[in-house]
Amino acid sequence: MKLIKQHNLIPRFTEYSNAPAVHCGETAFSYAELDRRSEKLAALLRSRGAGRDLPVAVCLERSADLIVALLAVLRAGAAYVPFDPSSPPDRLSFMLADCGARVIITTPAFSSLFAEAAIIVEPNQSLPLTASWNPPDEDDLAYIIYTSGSTGKPKGVLCHHRGACNMLADAQRRRPLGPGDRCSWWTSPGFDVSVYEIFSALTAGAELVIIPDPVRTDGAKLMQWLAEEKITSAYLPPMMIADLELWVRTHPGESRLRRLLTGVEPVPEQRLANIARAVPELCVINGYGPTEAAVYCTCYCVEGVSASRRNTPIGKALDGVDIYLFDEAMTPVPDGTEGEIYIGGVQVARGYLNRPHQTAVHFLDTPYGKLYRTGDRAVRLPDGNLMFAGRADQQFKFLGHRIEPGEIESALC
């Protein structure tokens, strides 16, 4: 199967046409239907002023309509800003004011969360199809995802098409997907891994299958669902890996998984190796990367022969990505010595929205090019792979989400 590498996140609808595209409960869209619905909504968004690099807020539950909305924003040339309806209203209000979106795609159930001055668009509204449109370029903004902020306020990361497309091309090279594959969606749309889950399916012509909420956090039920739905590609957070290990060992031959992505937090290598050994055709990828570098920018493919008691390495840089380990003076450290991770190359985001000072602190112009300073630490092993070694500051992860103590302190004060 040929390597899929494209310049934006918009699926090749006509190439896949009648293949199944999205499945959620009783709702299922083919690529042709997804094409029709998303372009009609895109026409409406363009009529409301959506365009290149402009933010459009999307506040919908995980559903087929949400996929239509995200694609419509991209087809309008704009950047989507995912709002999780379950987030505290104060956070949603701050995000809306901060990103400056004048158009919100949502439903009446959630419209009360937003200012009356905003233009509310429902996902099933549309205008008649319009004439041809100009697809976004690789350097155009694709999405703005809000992460925790050390100052007490979340900050929006400005992410372009190029970075996400590079990450997806690497995953496609390691284990190709195509029509006939079924890819699950586990994360919240406000979590950057959702970019991988959604678009690794849709840019390859595979079917995106949305995991029902009652199943998502129940390990045993989720593993059974993955098998019954014949899921071939999935992301699972570290907290679900033990459940998968147990399930594949006690249900030999039942898993259809062929690509598994995990990461965000350390995972024992032996556990992933056991899974790889139990499902021989499975490609197990441990990915590392902040939102500021397009989901993951290094990865390590786990073999089924490991007998290691260590945590899984975070691997080597993807093609087009540069990884540096520096000391406090920004001098490269020797192999085997702990250093802070700096990221360069095609996946580095533009910076933070409306945060020039924080952008200047973390996105640096250096003799090595533009680098993102992560605050993460690592050691380069003798085989060239990186081993994560913790944080250089107080930030920590909880269930895959970055937590800044500054936000907690701000709320308490």
Side-chain angles (χ1 to χ4, degrees):
M1 188 178 297
K2 64 182 179 181
L3 173 66
I4 292 178
K5 188 167 184 178
Q6 52 192 80
H7 299 293
N8 60 55
L9 293 173
I10 299 171
R12 295 180 237 180
F13 295 106
T14 56
E15 184 174 332
Y16 306 121
S17 191
N18 294 323
V22 181
H23 185 94
C24 182
E26 300 300 315
T27 303
F29 295 155
S30 67
Y31 275 89
E33 180 68 5
L34 190 59
D35 181 16
R36 185 186 68 83
R37 288 173 177 260
S38 63
E39 176 50 24
K40 293 188 78 172
L41 180 55
L44 178 59
L45 294 176
R46 288 192 288 266
S47 76
R48 298 292 191 269
R52 183 176 183 271
D53 282 1
L54 295 177
V56 173
V58 180
C59 184
L60 296 168
E61 294 179 328
R62 295 163 61 257
S63 61
D65 279 344
L66 175 54
I67 301 303
V68 170
L70 299 184
L71 291 176
V73 174
L74 297 179
R75 297 182 81 167
Y80 71 82
V81 189
F83 283 53
D84 187 338
S86 66
S87 294
D90 286 351
R91 179 181 175 90
L92 297 180
S93 296
F94 171 83
M95 288 170 55
L96 183 62
D98 187 66
C99 76
R102 301 310 308 150
V103 179
I104 304 167
I105 305 176
T106 190
T107 65
F110 303 129
S111 59
S112 61
L113 296 171
F114 303 105
E116 294 181 2
I119 300 172
I120 304 295
V121 174
E122 294 185 44
N124 293 319
Q125 284 180 263
S126 64
L127 288 177
L129 285 173
T130 56
S132 61
W133 52 281
N134 294 320
D137 293 328
E138 61 179 16
D139 288 323
D140 290 346
L141 283 186
Y143 56 93
I144 302 170
I145 284 185
Y146 276 79
T147 67
S148 59
S150 58
T151 62
K153 298 291 186 181
K155 53 187 185 290
V157 184
L158 300 166
C159 301
H160 41 60
H161 286 265
R162 182 184 69 243
C165 288
N166 190 74
M167 175 268 301
L168 295 175
D170 182 87
Q172 185 73 359
R173 178 176 63 83
R174 295 176 191 278
R175 178 67 81 205
L177 301 177
D181 281 298
R182 308 194 84 210
C183 308
S184 62
W185 179 17
W186 189 90
T187 60
S188 159
F191 188 32
D192 69 334
V193 177
S194 65
V195 176
Y196 166 84
E197 293 182 280
I198 294 168
F199 294 100
S200 67
L202 298 182
T203 57
E207 182 178 15
L208 180 68
V209 187
I210 302 174
I211 302 173
D213 283 336
V215 172
R216 285 179 66 227
T217 54
D218 186 312
K221 289 181 180 178
L222 176 57
M223 302 313 142
Q224 185 68 36
W225 181 90
L226 291 171
E228 290 176 350
E229 293 293 330
K230 299 180 174 58
I231 299 300
T232 56
S233 177
Y235 164 79
L236 289 178
M239 68 179 183
M240 292 292 182
I241 293 300
D243 294 296
L244 178 61
E245 180 191 19
L246 175 62
W247 200 90
V248 297
R249 293 173 71 175
T250 55
H251 297 76
E254 294 187 32
S255 175
R256 299 292 184 89
L257 281 175
R258 295 298 175 265
R259 187 204 286 177
L260 172 67
L261 174 67
T262 190
V264 180
E265 298 171 9
V267 183
E269 185 175 9
Q270 186 60 60
R271 181 157 285 162
L272 294 179
N274 291 340
I275 294 169
R277 186 165 55 250
V279 188
E281 295 183 26
L282 176 61
C283 176
V284 180
I285 301 171
N286 185 51
Y288 160 82
T291 304
E292 291 86 346
V295 186
Y296 70 90
C297 58
T298 74
C299 72
Y300 179 82
C301 292
V302 180
E303 304 292 339
V305 295
S306 173
S308 172
R309 295 180 180 274
R310 66 183 182 182
N311 283 331
T312 310
I314 58 174
K316 299 177 181 178
L318 276 56
D319 288 347
V321 174
D322 301 310
I323 298 292
Y324 301 93
L325 298 184
F326 289 150
D327 60 20
E328 293 181 356
M330 283 194 68
T331 301
V333 300
D335 291 355
T337 302
E338 189 175 305
E340 185 174 352
I341 301 174
Y342 287 71
I343 303 169
V346 299
Q347 290 187 207
V348 176
R350 288 188 188 176
Y352 298 119
L353 177 65
N354 300 328
R355 302 287 190 280
H357 173 70
Q358 288 180 289
T359 296
V361 167
H362 290 280
F363 293 84
L364 308 176
D365 290 321
T366 76
Y368 304 93
K370 180 183 177 181
L371 300 182
Y372 171 66
R373 182 179 185 178
T374 66
D376 291 330
R377 302 185 69 79
V379 174
R380 198 178 306 276
L381 303 176
D383 61 4
N385 286 297
L386 298 174
M387 179 66 77
F388 184 75
R391 290 287 300 175
D393 56 20
Q394 293 183 310
Q395 185 190 101
F396 62 94
K397 297 282 182 71
F398 179 71
L399 299 180
H401 294 279
R402 285 159 51 168
I403 306 296
E404 289 279 5
E407 278 200 62
I408 300 171
E409 292 172 6
S410 176
L412 290 173
C413 289

